[in-house]
């Protein structure tokens, strides 16, 4: 929450609305600095020329009427023989404060000074005279200069008229007038309450939908998003039980307890490809209600559930593709770099050691040349699985590209432990590989590096392990050269 006068940064996407610029999908960051803006005194002529559009201004006027709305309070004022409105928008309701604050009452006829932002609604700011409104920042922006006088010509005329009517029709019409006034007042009150309740219901429903869409595009867990969707459907249907069974997932929402006494409505949650992602259920009273309202609420919930589930699946697939090799389903170079940096930070903080093993397949090109790339791909998959079995649960195997692999050994006691794991990786090629009816015999050259003795950065460790691997490969090709 920000206070009036706080300095903040606004970041968003520029959009146009009715000829004005606005920041869409905006984010506000408090700079923890107070920089109050002094309002500019102005009159109606100055503000109607658009010269103070979006400026903080103050203007004096006489209150003509006040209107309590579902989302805002409006004061209609007169200045220099012209009308304009001062508007205070209600804060968004929360679970702690679901109702808007009470409206500040100002007696019509009072002279006030309003301070706020000058803006136009659905008007051309380039006209010579443009209707404007003043957007109040808080109820304190409305300052009463002088109260409405009690003795006015209008009040005297109304008083004389009322006395005349009372004298003439008191004996005949007083009972009928009272009854008629009572009935009309009750009808107007009931209609106003119904309209206010409907406006509040629509506003709350729109807030539900906006919050769900924000959660879908954000990082909210899928289970919580689907829970919110079932709560929205329940809200639309006046508290009816709603739940969703996700395919290969849990039951989310609030299932009905006594289903025998209720009508169960259901609708599948389809994907864009036609595959059923789940089923949305609603339990309503058995006496038939508004079928259209029930089905509309169910369809709206299904659409949001489809969007949520498919968006999360797409996001998970993209994350998996960015971190894992598509052929072997092992971690890729990007994952290795990230995990390596994490291990470096942890090792520096806790003064521990870890190892990096570099593996390069020997003569892999011959497999592709002799048997084809399909067999070569299957061979790489078999090699990856066999090397993965040589590692412990906390270790990680990554394919760096082509026929090169690296293993991150997270927990070690000494260099001998790392040598033993490197030997296991090298010896796992001793047994032949059965691929597509072919019996392939392979081998690999292995080199390793130990943190911190062989390197203290990711680049130095990779370079040391890679150099050790090339020494091993060169030694295999030239057995008469001694390995250092």
């Amino acid at each position: 929450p920000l206070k009036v006068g706080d300095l903040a940064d606004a970041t968003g996407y520029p959009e146009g609305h009715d000829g004005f610029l606005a920041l869409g999908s905006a984010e506000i960051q408090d700079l923890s600095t107070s920089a109050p803006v002094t309002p500019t005194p102005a009159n109606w002529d100055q503000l109607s020329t658009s010269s103070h559009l979006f400026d903080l201004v103050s203007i004096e006027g006489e209150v003509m009427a006040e209107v309590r709305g579902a989302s805002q309070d409006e004061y209609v004022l007169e200045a220099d023989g012209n009308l304009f409105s001062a508007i205070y928008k209600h804060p968004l309701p929360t679970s702690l404060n679901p109702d808007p604050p009470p409206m500040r009452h100002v007696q019509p006829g009072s002279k006030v000074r309003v301070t706020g932002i000058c803006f136009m609604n659905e008007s051309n700011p380039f006209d010579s005279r443009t209707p404007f409104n003043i957007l109040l920042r808080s109820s304190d922006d409305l300052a009463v200069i002088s109260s409405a006088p009690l003795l006015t010509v209008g009040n005297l005329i109304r008083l004389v008229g009322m006395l005349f009517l009372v004298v003439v029709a008191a004996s005949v019409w007083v009972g009928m007038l009272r009854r008629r006034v009572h009935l009309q007042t009750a009808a107007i009150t009931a209609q106003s309450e119904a309209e206010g309740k409907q406006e509040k219901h629509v506003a709350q429903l729109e807030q539900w939908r906006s919050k769900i869409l924000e959660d879908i595009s954000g990082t909210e867990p899928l289970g919580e998003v689907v829970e919110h969707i079932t709560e929205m459907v329940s809200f639309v249907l006046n508290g009816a039980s709603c739940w969703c069974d996700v395919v290969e997932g849990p039951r989310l929402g609030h299932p009905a307890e006594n289903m025998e006494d209720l009508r169960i409505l259901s609708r599948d949650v389809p994907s864009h490809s036609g595959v059923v992602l789940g089923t949305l259920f609603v339990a309503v009273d058995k006496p038939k209600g508004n079928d259209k309202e029930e089905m509309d609420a169910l369809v709206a919930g299904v659409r949001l559930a489809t969007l949520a589930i498919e968006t999360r699946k797409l996001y998970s697939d993209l994350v998996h593709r960015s971190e894992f090799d598509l052929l072997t389903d092992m971690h890729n170079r990007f994952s290795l770099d990230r995990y390596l940096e994490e291990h470096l930070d942890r090792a520096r903080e806790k003064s521990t050691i870890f190892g990096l093993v570099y593996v390069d397949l020997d003569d892999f090109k011959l497999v592709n040349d002799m048997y084809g790339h399909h067999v070569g791909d299957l061979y790489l998959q078999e090699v990856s699985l066999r090397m993965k079995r040589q590692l412990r649960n906390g270790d990680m195997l990554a394919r760096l590209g082509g026929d090169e692999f690296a293993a991150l050994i997270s927990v070690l006691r000494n260099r001998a432990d790392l040598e033993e794991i490197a030997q296991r990786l090298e010896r796992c090629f001793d047994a032949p590989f059965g691929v597509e009816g072919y019996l392939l015999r392979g081998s690999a050259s292995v080199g390793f590096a130990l943190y911190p003795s062989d390197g203290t950065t990711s680049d130095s460790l990779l370079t040391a392990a890679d150099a050790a691997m090339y020494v091993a490969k060169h030694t295999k090709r030239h057995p008469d050269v001694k390995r250092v």
Side-chain angles (χ1 to χ4, degrees):
L2 297 172
K3 301 186 295 298
V4 172
D6 285 353
L7 194 64
D9 274 347
T11 305
Y13 295 95
E15 299 175 352
H17 294 284
D18 301 323
F20 302 116
L21 287 178
L23 286 182
S25 304
E27 187 176 88
I28 308 297
Q29 180 179 5
D30 187 5
L31 297 182
S32 302
T33 302
S34 179
V37 180
T38 302
T40 302
N43 55 36
W44 191 92
D45 287 333
Q46 292 172 332
L47 297 183
S48 64
T49 59
S50 304
S51 59
H52 291 286
L53 182 61
F54 300 131
D55 286 347
L56 180 66
V57 299
S58 65
I59 182 173
E60 296 182 359
E62 181 180 342
V63 177
M64 306 302 295
E66 54 184 19
V67 181
R68 175 69 164 181
S71 61
Q72 65 182 25
D73 297 334
E74 181 176 358
Y75 301 88
V76 181
L77 298 98
E78 180 186 24
D80 303 326
N82 299 286
L83 296 179
F84 66 98
S85 292
I87 297 173
Y88 173 63
K89 292 187 178 295
H90 299 159
L92 291 177
T94 63
S95 57
L96 297 178
N97 298 299
D99 297 321
M103 183 179 185
R104 181 182 176 183
H105 174 66
V106 180
Q107 182 69 27
S110 301
K111 187 175 181 181
V112 298
R113 180 186 296 109
V114 293
T115 301
I117 309 300
C118 177
F119 73 103
M120 284 79 174
N121 283 332
E122 300 178 356
S123 299
N124 185 354
F126 302 104
D127 289 341
S128 59
R129 288 291 184 268
T130 306
F132 65 91
N133 293 330
I134 301 297
L135 180 61
L136 303 178
R137 302 165 299 177
S138 68
S139 58
D140 296 333
D141 282 338
L142 185 67
V144 178
I145 300 176
S146 60
S147 302
L150 296 177
L151 189 59
T152 62
V153 175
N155 288 342
L156 288 175
I157 293 175
R158 285 190 289 271
L159 180 59
V160 172
M162 290 176 62
L163 291 174
F164 178 78
L165 291 175
V166 170
V167 171
V168 173
S171 58
V172 181
W173 295 100
V174 65
M176 297 178 61
L177 288 175
R178 286 181 178 176
R179 178 173 177 79
R180 184 178 299 174
V181 169
H182 175 74
L183 292 176
Q184 289 179 349
T185 302
I188 292 173
T189 302
Q191 182 179 359
S192 300
E193 290 179 351
E195 291 177 353
K197 185 177 180 180
Q198 180 64 22
E199 288 182 4
K200 183 178 179 181
H201 183 84
V202 172
Q204 290 177 336
L205 180 59
E206 185 59 28
Q207 290 172 7
W208 270 107
R209 185 174 177 274
S210 298
K211 179 66 169 60
I212 290 172
L213 291 175
E214 289 178 5
D215 293 342
I216 291 174
S217 60
T219 58
E220 196 80 8
L222 177 61
E224 294 186 15
V225 176
V226 176
E227 289 271 4
H228 292 163
I229 293 173
T230 61
E231 291 172 2
M232 184 198 73
V233 175
S234 177
F235 170 77
V236 173
L237 298 180
N238 301 316
S241 297
C242 179
W243 66 97
C244 181
D245 289 342
V246 181
V247 174
E248 298 181 359
R251 170 169 287 185
L252 302 169
H254 304 281
E257 296 181 357
N258 299 319
M259 296 190 183
E260 298 81 6
D261 302 329
L262 300 170
R263 285 186 298 119
I264 308 300
L265 307 178
S266 65
R267 195 175 184 92
D268 289 338
V269 179
S271 67
H272 288 87
S273 61
V275 178
V276 176
L277 304 173
T279 306
L280 189 66
F281 298 89
V282 173
V284 296
D285 294 334
K286 276 194 174 179
K288 206 165 187 179
N290 190 335
D291 291 343
K292 185 177 184 307
E293 181 181 1
E294 295 167 354
M295 291 309 299
D296 286 348
L298 200 59
V299 168
V302 165
R303 289 175 178 171
L304 288 174
T306 296
L307 180 61
I309 296 173
E310 288 206 320
T311 300
R312 281 297 184 274
K313 286 188 175 181
L314 177 61
Y315 176 76
S316 299
D317 182 62
L318 290 175
V319 170
H320 186 83
R321 286 172 177 268
S322 68
E323 295 186 351
F324 288 84
D325 177 56
L326 296 181
L327 176 63
T328 62
D329 202 32
M330 299 296 169
H331 289 273
N332 57 18
R333 181 62 178 264
F334 172 78
S335 293
L336 176 67
D337 291 341
R338 183 163 60 85
Y339 277 96
L340 186 54
E341 290 295 337
E342 292 176 0
H343 275 73
L344 284 168
D345 292 339
R346 191 178 305 117
R348 293 189 190 105
E349 179 182 353
K350 298 183 178 180
S351 298
T352 57
I353 64 173
F354 67 92
L356 182 67
V357 181
Y358 209 103
V359 181
D360 184 80
L361 306 186
D362 296 332
D363 299 323
F364 174 69
K365 184 176 182 300
L366 295 178
V367 177
N368 284 331
D369 293 342
M370 294 178 63
Y371 304 102
H373 289 280
H374 175 65
V375 173
D377 290 344
L378 296 178
Y379 174 66
L380 286 174
Q381 292 174 352
E382 291 294 328
V383 166
S384 300
L385 290 175
R386 188 175 293 186
M387 287 194 295
K388 181 69 175 177
R389 295 190 189 104
Q390 311 306 315
L391 303 178
R392 303 163 301 182
N393 290 334
D395 301 334
M396 185 189 80
L397 180 66
R399 184 189 178 200
L400 305 184
D403 57 356
E404 296 181 349
F405 295 81
L408 186 60
I409 313 303
S410 57
V411 179
L412 293 170
R413 293 174 299 179
N414 47 46
R415 181 178 291 270
D417 288 348
L418 182 58
E419 291 178 353
E420 193 271 333
I421 294 174
Q423 291 174 3
R424 286 210 309 263
L425 290 173
E426 189 174 6
R427 289 197 300 266
C428 75
F429 287 83
D430 293 346
F433 296 85
V435 179
E436 290 286 297
Y438 298 105
L439 196 63
L440 306 181
R441 295 188 178 276
S443 64
S445 299
V446 178
F448 59 85
L450 183 70
Y451 172 87
S453 58
D454 296 329
T456 57
T457 65
S458 58
D459 290 339
S460 61
L461 286 172
L462 284 168
T463 301
D466 186 40
M469 181 275 296
Y470 273 105
V471 170
K473 185 179 290 288
H474 184 73
T475 303
K476 286 183 179 179
R477 294 175 178 175
H478 306 281
D480 55 328
V481 178
K482 292 186 178 180
R483 186 171 179 176
V484 179

